[in-house]
Amino acid sequence: MPDLLVNLHSQKFAALAARPPVEGVTIRPALAPEMALVVDWVREHFSDNWASEVTVAFSRRPVACSIAVFEGRLIGFVCHDIVARGFFGPTGVHSDARGKGVGVALLAAALSALKADGYAYAVIGDAGPVDFYAGAVGAIPIPAEDKGVYEGMLRRS
């Protein structure tokens, strides 16, 4: 999967950032006392690797992880500036909440945080749903012969 580049000053990003909130869903920065709950949830629903990245996000000040909450339950998360400066992700939405705009709202929150930190562009590393990111924010593939920062990363067998 390629790395993608997002122009944080494009009209496409501005339109994404201006979208109305998802009804009933709160997107907000995660709080330090929620770390164990969020990390465990990410490990259960996604992977150990992503749980590790979320742990790092909680070590940042301010916390570099936002969460989506619906009816008092965690339904999604997003991190930024974790694996490398200016990087978006990881992000995930519970399978029951997909297709309702939660992922787009989390994408907007993280990219807006990167823009507020002074980045002109963001990198979506090792992007899974390339077409989603291209459509949502005009992300384009970064030409590369390898997997960039993720090349040679240790993984569980």
Side-chain angles (χ1 to χ4, degrees), residues 1-8 13 16 50 53 78-81 83-91 103 107-108 110-111 114 121-142 147-150:
M1 293 175 271
D3 289 346
L4 304 178
L5 188 66
V6 178
N7 180 346
L8 299 178
F13 172 71
L16 174 82
W50 283 10
E53 291 180 76
V78 65
C79 299
H80 66 278
D81 244 0
V83 168
R85 295 284 185 191
F87 265 55
F88 162 87
T91 186
L107 173 64
L111 293 179
L114 287 169
Y121 294 88
V123 174
I124 302 173
D126 202 22
V130 173
D131 292 339
F132 167 77
Y133 292 120
V137 73
I140 59 171
I142 299 172
K147 295 190 58 73
V149 71
Y150 297 98

Short mmCIF file of all heavy atoms in Angstrom, two decimals, residues 1-8 13 16 50 53 78-81 83-91 103 107-108 110-111 114 121-142 147-150:
data_model
loop_
_atom_site.label_atom_id
_atom_site.label_comp_id
_atom_site.label_asym_id
_atom_site.label_seq_id
_atom_site.Cartn_x
_atom_site.Cartn_y
_atom_site.Cartn_z
N MET A 1 0.84 -1.17 0.00
CA MET A 1 0.00 0.00 0.00
C MET A 1 0.89 1.25 0.00
O MET A 1 1.86 1.30 0.74
CB MET A 1 -0.92 -0.02 1.22
CG MET A 1 -1.95 -1.14 1.17
SD MET A 1 -2.94 -1.25 2.65
CE MET A 1 -1.90 -2.36 3.60
N PRO A 2 0.52 2.22 -0.80
CA PRO A 2 1.38 3.40 -0.91
C PRO A 2 1.18 4.39 0.24
O PRO A 2 0.16 4.37 0.93
CB PRO A 2 0.92 4.03 -2.23
CG PRO A 2 -0.54 3.70 -2.28
CD PRO A 2 -0.63 2.29 -1.70
N ASP A 3 2.18 5.24 0.41
CA ASP A 3 1.99 6.43 1.23
C ASP A 3 1.26 7.45 0.36
O ASP A 3 1.46 7.50 -0.85
CB ASP A 3 3.33 7.02 1.67
CG ASP A 3 4.05 6.17 2.71
OD1 ASP A 3 3.42 5.26 3.29
OD2 ASP A 3 5.24 6.43 2.94
N LEU A 4 0.42 8.26 1.00
CA LEU A 4 -0.34 9.29 0.28
C LEU A 4 0.01 10.66 0.80
O LEU A 4 0.37 10.81 1.97
CB LEU A 4 -1.85 9.06 0.45
CG LEU A 4 -2.41 7.71 0.04
CD1 LEU A 4 -3.91 7.65 0.34
CD2 LEU A 4 -2.13 7.42 -1.42
N LEU A 5 -0.14 11.67 -0.04
CA LEU A 5 0.13 13.05 0.33
C LEU A 5 -1.19 13.84 0.27
O LEU A 5 -1.95 13.70 -0.68
CB LEU A 5 1.15 13.67 -0.64
CG LEU A 5 1.67 15.05 -0.29
CD1 LEU A 5 2.50 14.99 1.00
CD2 LEU A 5 2.51 15.60 -1.43
N VAL A 6 -1.41 14.66 1.30
CA VAL A 6 -2.62 15.48 1.37
C VAL A 6 -2.21 16.94 1.49
O VAL A 6 -1.43 17.30 2.38
CB VAL A 6 -3.48 15.11 2.60
CG1 VAL A 6 -4.71 16.00 2.69
CG2 VAL A 6 -3.86 13.64 2.56
N ASN A 7 -2.74 17.78 0.62
CA ASN A 7 -2.52 19.22 0.69
C ASN A 7 -3.52 19.80 1.69
O ASN A 7 -4.73 19.79 1.46
CB ASN A 7 -2.72 19.84 -0.70
CG ASN A 7 -2.53 21.33 -0.71
OD1 ASN A 7 -2.49 21.99 0.31
ND2 ASN A 7 -2.40 21.89 -1.91
N LEU A 8 -3.01 20.30 2.81
CA LEU A 8 -3.89 20.82 3.87
C LEU A 8 -4.39 22.24 3.58
O LEU A 8 -5.10 22.82 4.41
CB LEU A 8 -3.16 20.77 5.21
CG LEU A 8 -2.75 19.37 5.67
CD1 LEU A 8 -2.01 19.44 7.00
CD2 LEU A 8 -3.96 18.45 5.76
N PHE A 13 -9.71 19.77 1.10
CA PHE A 13 -9.54 19.66 2.55
C PHE A 13 -10.44 20.65 3.27
O PHE A 13 -11.06 20.32 4.28
CB PHE A 13 -8.09 19.87 2.98
CG PHE A 13 -7.96 19.95 4.48
CD1 PHE A 13 -8.13 18.82 5.25
CD2 PHE A 13 -7.75 21.16 5.11
CE1 PHE A 13 -8.08 18.89 6.64
CE2 PHE A 13 -7.67 21.23 6.49
CZ PHE A 13 -7.84 20.10 7.25
N LEU A 16 -13.82 19.26 3.51
CA LEU A 16 -13.87 18.18 4.50
C LEU A 16 -13.95 18.75 5.91
O LEU A 16 -14.77 18.32 6.72
CB LEU A 16 -12.64 17.29 4.36
CG LEU A 16 -12.50 16.19 5.43
CD1 LEU A 16 -13.35 15.00 5.07
CD2 LEU A 16 -11.06 15.78 5.59
N TRP A 50 -1.22 -1.13 16.06
CA TRP A 50 -1.98 0.12 16.23
C TRP A 50 -2.12 0.47 17.71
O TRP A 50 -2.07 1.64 18.08
CB TRP A 50 -3.32 0.01 15.56
CG TRP A 50 -3.27 0.16 14.06
CD1 TRP A 50 -2.15 0.19 13.27
CD2 TRP A 50 -4.37 0.31 13.20
NE1 TRP A 50 -2.51 0.34 11.97
CE2 TRP A 50 -3.86 0.41 11.88
CE3 TRP A 50 -5.75 0.34 13.38
CZ2 TRP A 50 -4.70 0.58 10.77
CZ3 TRP A 50 -6.57 0.50 12.27
CH2 TRP A 50 -6.04 0.62 10.99
N GLU A 53 0.91 2.31 18.69
CA GLU A 53 0.89 3.70 18.22
C GLU A 53 -0.03 4.57 19.08
O GLU A 53 0.31 5.72 19.38
CB GLU A 53 0.48 3.76 16.75
CG GLU A 53 1.54 3.16 15.83
CD GLU A 53 1.14 3.22 14.38
OE1 GLU A 53 1.21 4.31 13.79
OE2 GLU A 53 0.76 2.17 13.83
N VAL A 78 -8.47 8.03 16.09
CA VAL A 78 -7.50 8.49 15.10
C VAL A 78 -6.31 9.09 15.82
O VAL A 78 -6.46 9.70 16.87
CB VAL A 78 -8.11 9.50 14.11
CG1 VAL A 78 -8.49 10.80 14.80
CG2 VAL A 78 -7.16 9.77 12.94
N CYS A 79 -5.12 8.88 15.27
CA CYS A 79 -3.89 9.48 15.81
C CYS A 79 -3.22 10.30 14.72
O CYS A 79 -3.50 10.11 13.53
CB CYS A 79 -2.92 8.39 16.27
SG CYS A 79 -3.56 7.34 17.58
N HIS A 80 -2.32 11.16 15.12
CA HIS A 80 -1.52 11.93 14.17
C HIS A 80 -0.16 12.23 14.77
O HIS A 80 0.00 12.24 15.99
CB HIS A 80 -2.23 13.23 13.76
CG HIS A 80 -2.37 14.20 14.88
ND1 HIS A 80 -3.38 14.11 15.82
CD2 HIS A 80 -1.62 15.27 15.24
CE1 HIS A 80 -3.24 15.10 16.69
NE2 HIS A 80 -2.18 15.81 16.36
N ASP A 81 0.82 12.43 13.88
CA ASP A 81 2.18 12.80 14.31
C ASP A 81 2.83 11.74 15.20
O ASP A 81 3.54 12.07 16.14
CB ASP A 81 2.14 14.15 15.06
CG ASP A 81 2.89 15.25 14.34
OD1 ASP A 81 3.45 14.98 13.27
OD2 ASP A 81 2.94 16.36 14.87
N VAL A 83 4.17 8.01 14.04
CA VAL A 83 5.28 7.26 13.44
C VAL A 83 6.34 8.22 12.90
O VAL A 83 7.53 7.97 13.02
CB VAL A 83 4.77 6.33 12.31
CG1 VAL A 83 5.91 5.77 11.49
CG2 VAL A 83 3.96 5.20 12.92
N ALA A 84 5.89 9.34 12.36
CA ALA A 84 6.79 10.37 11.84
C ALA A 84 6.05 11.70 11.88
O ALA A 84 4.81 11.72 11.90
CB ALA A 84 7.23 10.04 10.42
N ARG A 85 6.79 12.80 11.90
CA ARG A 85 6.18 14.13 11.91
C ARG A 85 5.32 14.31 10.66
O ARG A 85 5.72 13.93 9.56
CB ARG A 85 7.25 15.21 11.94
CG ARG A 85 8.06 15.21 13.20
CD ARG A 85 7.25 15.81 14.32
NE ARG A 85 8.08 15.92 15.51
CZ ARG A 85 7.58 16.20 16.68
NH1 ARG A 85 6.31 16.44 16.83
NH2 ARG A 85 8.38 16.27 17.72
N GLY A 86 4.13 14.83 10.86
CA GLY A 86 3.24 15.11 9.75
C GLY A 86 2.46 13.91 9.25
O GLY A 86 1.74 14.00 8.27
N PHE A 87 2.58 12.77 9.94
CA PHE A 87 1.88 11.56 9.52
C PHE A 87 0.49 11.48 10.17
O PHE A 87 0.32 11.76 11.35
CB PHE A 87 2.66 10.31 9.93
CG PHE A 87 3.55 9.77 8.85
CD1 PHE A 87 4.49 10.58 8.23
CD2 PHE A 87 3.46 8.44 8.45
CE1 PHE A 87 5.32 10.09 7.25
CE2 PHE A 87 4.29 7.94 7.46
CZ PHE A 87 5.22 8.76 6.85
N PHE A 88 -0.47 11.09 9.36
CA PHE A 88 -1.83 10.80 9.81
C PHE A 88 -1.93 9.31 10.09
O PHE A 88 -1.40 8.49 9.35
CB PHE A 88 -2.81 11.16 8.69
CG PHE A 88 -4.17 10.55 8.85
CD1 PHE A 88 -5.14 11.18 9.61
CD2 PHE A 88 -4.47 9.33 8.26
CE1 PHE A 88 -6.40 10.61 9.76
CE2 PHE A 88 -5.72 8.75 8.41
CZ PHE A 88 -6.68 9.39 9.16
N GLY A 89 -2.64 8.96 11.17
CA GLY A 89 -2.96 7.58 11.43
C GLY A 89 -2.15 7.00 12.58
O GLY A 89 -1.21 7.63 13.06
N PRO A 90 -2.59 5.84 13.01
CA PRO A 90 -3.65 5.01 12.45
C PRO A 90 -5.04 5.55 12.82
O PRO A 90 -5.18 6.41 13.68
CB PRO A 90 -3.42 3.64 13.10
CG PRO A 90 -2.85 3.97 14.43
CD PRO A 90 -1.99 5.20 14.20
N THR A 91 -6.02 4.99 12.15
CA THR A 91 -7.41 5.33 12.44
C THR A 91 -8.28 4.10 12.21
O THR A 91 -7.96 3.26 11.37
CB THR A 91 -7.89 6.50 11.55
OG1 THR A 91 -9.20 6.89 11.96
CG2 THR A 91 -7.90 6.13 10.09
N GLY A 103 -15.63 7.87 10.10
CA GLY A 103 -14.24 7.85 9.62
C GLY A 103 -13.85 9.17 8.98
O GLY A 103 -12.73 9.66 9.18
N LEU A 107 -10.94 11.66 10.24
CA LEU A 107 -9.93 12.13 9.29
C LEU A 107 -9.82 13.66 9.36
O LEU A 107 -8.73 14.21 9.45
CB LEU A 107 -10.30 11.68 7.87
CG LEU A 107 -9.47 12.20 6.71
CD1 LEU A 107 -8.04 11.69 6.79
CD2 LEU A 107 -10.11 11.78 5.38
N ALA A 108 -10.95 14.34 9.34
CA ALA A 108 -10.96 15.80 9.40
C ALA A 108 -10.34 16.30 10.69
O ALA A 108 -9.57 17.28 10.69
CB ALA A 108 -12.40 16.32 9.25
N ALA A 110 -8.05 14.85 12.68
CA ALA A 110 -6.59 14.66 12.72
C ALA A 110 -5.88 15.57 11.74
O ALA A 110 -4.85 16.18 12.07
CB ALA A 110 -6.25 13.19 12.43
N LEU A 111 -6.40 15.70 10.52
CA LEU A 111 -5.76 16.58 9.55
C LEU A 111 -5.85 18.03 9.99
O LEU A 111 -4.90 18.81 9.78
CB LEU A 111 -6.36 16.38 8.16
CG LEU A 111 -6.10 15.02 7.51
CD1 LEU A 111 -6.77 14.95 6.14
CD2 LEU A 111 -4.62 14.70 7.40
N LEU A 114 -3.11 18.60 12.45
CA LEU A 114 -1.82 18.75 11.78
C LEU A 114 -1.69 20.14 11.16
O LEU A 114 -0.65 20.79 11.28
CB LEU A 114 -1.63 17.67 10.72
CG LEU A 114 -1.37 16.27 11.25
CD1 LEU A 114 -1.48 15.23 10.13
CD2 LEU A 114 -0.01 16.19 11.92
N TYR A 121 1.27 20.04 4.44
CA TYR A 121 0.91 18.75 3.86
C TYR A 121 0.92 17.69 4.95
O TYR A 121 1.64 17.83 5.94
CB TYR A 121 1.91 18.33 2.77
CG TYR A 121 1.90 19.25 1.57
CD1 TYR A 121 2.71 20.38 1.54
CD2 TYR A 121 1.07 18.98 0.50
CE1 TYR A 121 2.69 21.23 0.46
CE2 TYR A 121 1.05 19.84 -0.60
CZ TYR A 121 1.85 20.96 -0.62
OH TYR A 121 1.83 21.80 -1.68
N ALA A 122 0.13 16.65 4.75
CA ALA A 122 0.15 15.50 5.65
C ALA A 122 0.44 14.26 4.83
O ALA A 122 0.10 14.19 3.65
CB ALA A 122 -1.19 15.35 6.37
N VAL A 123 1.04 13.28 5.47
CA VAL A 123 1.31 11.99 4.85
C VAL A 123 0.40 10.95 5.50
O VAL A 123 0.31 10.89 6.73
CB VAL A 123 2.79 11.57 5.03
CG1 VAL A 123 3.02 10.16 4.51
CG2 VAL A 123 3.70 12.57 4.35
N ILE A 124 -0.26 10.18 4.68
CA ILE A 124 -1.03 9.03 5.16
C ILE A 124 -0.16 7.83 4.84
O ILE A 124 -0.03 7.44 3.67
CB ILE A 124 -2.41 8.93 4.49
CG1 ILE A 124 -3.21 10.21 4.73
CG2 ILE A 124 -3.16 7.70 5.01
CD1 ILE A 124 -4.52 10.29 3.97
N GLY A 125 0.48 7.28 5.86
CA GLY A 125 1.45 6.22 5.66
C GLY A 125 0.81 4.87 5.44
O GLY A 125 -0.14 4.50 6.13
N ASP A 126 1.32 4.14 4.44
CA ASP A 126 0.88 2.76 4.18
C ASP A 126 -0.65 2.69 4.12
O ASP A 126 -1.28 1.86 4.77
CB ASP A 126 1.44 1.84 5.26
CG ASP A 126 1.51 0.38 4.83
OD1 ASP A 126 1.53 0.11 3.61
OD2 ASP A 126 1.55 -0.48 5.71
N ALA A 127 -1.22 3.62 3.35
CA ALA A 127 -2.69 3.79 3.31
C ALA A 127 -3.39 2.55 2.81
O ALA A 127 -3.05 2.01 1.76
CB ALA A 127 -3.03 4.99 2.43
N GLY A 128 -4.38 2.12 3.55
CA GLY A 128 -5.20 0.97 3.14
C GLY A 128 -6.22 1.37 2.08
O GLY A 128 -6.06 1.06 0.90
N PRO A 129 -7.24 2.12 2.47
CA PRO A 129 -8.30 2.47 1.50
C PRO A 129 -7.93 3.71 0.68
O PRO A 129 -8.42 4.81 0.91
CB PRO A 129 -9.51 2.72 2.39
CG PRO A 129 -8.92 3.21 3.68
CD PRO A 129 -7.60 2.49 3.82
N VAL A 130 -7.05 3.52 -0.32
CA VAL A 130 -6.54 4.63 -1.12
C VAL A 130 -7.69 5.42 -1.76
O VAL A 130 -7.70 6.66 -1.74
CB VAL A 130 -5.56 4.12 -2.20
CG1 VAL A 130 -5.16 5.23 -3.16
CG2 VAL A 130 -4.33 3.51 -1.53
N ASP A 131 -8.67 4.73 -2.32
CA ASP A 131 -9.79 5.41 -2.98
C ASP A 131 -10.58 6.27 -1.99
O ASP A 131 -11.05 7.36 -2.35
CB ASP A 131 -10.71 4.40 -3.67
CG ASP A 131 -10.04 3.72 -4.86
OD1 ASP A 131 -9.06 4.28 -5.40
OD2 ASP A 131 -10.51 2.64 -5.26
N PHE A 132 -10.74 5.80 -0.76
CA PHE A 132 -11.44 6.58 0.26
C PHE A 132 -10.71 7.90 0.50
O PHE A 132 -11.32 8.97 0.49
CB PHE A 132 -11.53 5.78 1.57
CG PHE A 132 -11.96 6.61 2.75
CD1 PHE A 132 -13.27 6.98 2.93
CD2 PHE A 132 -11.02 7.02 3.69
CE1 PHE A 132 -13.66 7.75 4.02
CE2 PHE A 132 -11.38 7.79 4.78
CZ PHE A 132 -12.71 8.16 4.95
N TYR A 133 -9.40 7.83 0.72
CA TYR A 133 -8.63 9.04 1.00
C TYR A 133 -8.57 9.97 -0.22
O TYR A 133 -8.62 11.19 -0.07
CB TYR A 133 -7.22 8.69 1.48
CG TYR A 133 -7.22 8.04 2.84
CD1 TYR A 133 -6.70 6.77 3.03
CD2 TYR A 133 -7.74 8.70 3.95
CE1 TYR A 133 -6.69 6.18 4.28
CE2 TYR A 133 -7.74 8.12 5.21
CZ TYR A 133 -7.21 6.85 5.36
OH TYR A 133 -7.21 6.27 6.61
N ALA A 134 -8.48 9.42 -1.40
CA ALA A 134 -8.48 10.24 -2.62
C ALA A 134 -9.80 10.99 -2.75
O ALA A 134 -9.81 12.19 -3.03
CB ALA A 134 -8.22 9.37 -3.84
N GLY A 135 -10.89 10.29 -2.51
CA GLY A 135 -12.20 10.92 -2.62
C GLY A 135 -12.49 11.91 -1.52
O GLY A 135 -13.05 12.98 -1.75
N ALA A 136 -12.09 11.58 -0.30
CA ALA A 136 -12.43 12.41 0.86
C ALA A 136 -11.62 13.69 0.92
O ALA A 136 -12.13 14.75 1.30
CB ALA A 136 -12.24 11.62 2.15
N VAL A 137 -10.33 13.60 0.55
CA VAL A 137 -9.47 14.76 0.77
C VAL A 137 -8.47 15.00 -0.36
O VAL A 137 -7.57 15.82 -0.24
CB VAL A 137 -8.77 14.63 2.14
CG1 VAL A 137 -7.69 13.59 2.14
CG2 VAL A 137 -8.29 15.95 2.67
N GLY A 138 -8.65 14.32 -1.49
CA GLY A 138 -7.77 14.54 -2.63
C GLY A 138 -6.37 14.00 -2.45
O GLY A 138 -5.43 14.46 -3.08
N ALA A 139 -6.20 13.00 -1.59
CA ALA A 139 -4.88 12.41 -1.35
C ALA A 139 -4.35 11.78 -2.64
O ALA A 139 -5.11 11.17 -3.40
CB ALA A 139 -4.95 11.36 -0.25
N ILE A 140 -3.04 11.93 -2.84
CA ILE A 140 -2.41 11.34 -4.03
C ILE A 140 -1.25 10.45 -3.59
O ILE A 140 -0.59 10.72 -2.59
CB ILE A 140 -1.90 12.43 -5.00
CG1 ILE A 140 -0.89 13.37 -4.32
CG2 ILE A 140 -3.07 13.22 -5.58
CD1 ILE A 140 -0.19 14.33 -5.25
N PRO A 141 -0.99 9.36 -4.35
CA PRO A 141 0.12 8.47 -4.00
C PRO A 141 1.46 9.18 -4.11
O PRO A 141 1.69 10.00 -5.00
CB PRO A 141 0.01 7.34 -5.03
CG PRO A 141 -1.38 7.41 -5.54
CD PRO A 141 -1.78 8.86 -5.47
N ILE A 142 2.35 8.85 -3.20
CA ILE A 142 3.73 9.33 -3.25
C ILE A 142 4.54 8.25 -3.96
O ILE A 142 4.60 7.11 -3.47
CB ILE A 142 4.29 9.57 -1.83
CG1 ILE A 142 3.47 10.64 -1.11
CG2 ILE A 142 5.76 9.95 -1.90
CD1 ILE A 142 3.83 10.80 0.37
N LYS A 147 8.44 0.64 1.01
CA LYS A 147 7.36 0.98 1.91
C LYS A 147 7.71 2.16 2.82
O LYS A 147 7.09 2.36 3.85
CB LYS A 147 6.95 -0.23 2.74
CG LYS A 147 6.35 -1.32 1.87
CD LYS A 147 5.72 -2.44 2.63
CE LYS A 147 4.63 -2.10 3.54
NZ LYS A 147 3.35 -1.74 3.00
N GLY A 148 8.70 2.93 2.45
CA GLY A 148 9.04 4.12 3.21
C GLY A 148 9.42 3.80 4.64
O GLY A 148 10.18 2.87 4.91
N VAL A 149 8.87 4.56 5.57
CA VAL A 149 9.22 4.42 6.98
C VAL A 149 8.87 3.04 7.54
O VAL A 149 9.47 2.58 8.50
CB VAL A 149 8.57 5.57 7.80
CG1 VAL A 149 7.07 5.38 7.92
CG2 VAL A 149 9.19 5.69 9.17
N TYR A 150 7.93 2.36 6.91
CA TYR A 150 7.50 1.05 7.40
C TYR A 150 8.33 -0.10 6.85
O TYR A 150 8.13 -1.26 7.24
CB TYR A 150 6.02 0.81 7.07
CG TYR A 150 5.11 1.80 7.74
CD1 TYR A 150 4.63 2.91 7.05
CD2 TYR A 150 4.74 1.63 9.07
CE1 TYR A 150 3.79 3.82 7.67
CE2 TYR A 150 3.89 2.54 9.70
CZ TYR A 150 3.44 3.63 8.99
OH TYR A 150 2.60 4.54 9.61
#
